[in-house]
């Protein structure tokens, strides 16, 4: 919820710092919010990094995350 709020209000970088402090967070919704926040702020490389971490941790992503990333590039 906090991550969603931060990402929705132009604070994706701050949200990512919080996210990384929460060790081993494997929450699909949190990842999706991080991707959305970075895309919204024009930082597709950071969004791609989130998607890569998701994949490495075995967190299932959806088409929406990939669409956001493709559109951002």
């Amino acid at each position: 919820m906090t991550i969603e709020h931060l990402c929705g209000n132009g604070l994706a970088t701050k949200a990512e710092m919080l996210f990384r402090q929460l060790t081993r967070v494997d929450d699909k919704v949190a990842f999706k919010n991080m991707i959305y926040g970075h895309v919204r702020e024009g930082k597709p490389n950071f969004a791609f990094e989130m998607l890569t971490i998701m994949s490495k941790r075995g967190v299932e992503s959806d088409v929406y995350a990939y669409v956001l990333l493709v559109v951002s590039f």
Side-chain angles (χ1 to χ4, degrees), residues 16 19-20 30-31 34-35 38 45-55:
E16 185 174 347
F19 182 76
R20 289 180 183 272
F31 272 110
M34 293 298 306
I35 292 167
H38 283 307
N45 292 328
F46 291 114
F48 179 71
E49 184 179 343
M50 288 291 107
L51 199 55
T52 302
I53 292 169
M54 256 178 110
S55 177

Side-chain angles (χ1 to χ4, degrees), residues 33-69:
N33 283 313
M34 293 298 306
I35 292 167
Y36 171 75
H38 283 307
V39 166
R40 187 171 175 217
E41 293 178 17
K43 301 175 189 172
N45 292 328
F46 291 114
F48 179 71
E49 184 179 343
M50 288 291 107
L51 199 55
T52 302
I53 292 169
M54 256 178 110
S55 177
K56 286 180 182 178
R57 292 187 183 175
V59 177
E60 186 179 314
S61 61
D62 57 17
V63 174
Y64 183 68
Y66 287 99
V67 170
L68 279 173
L69 188 59

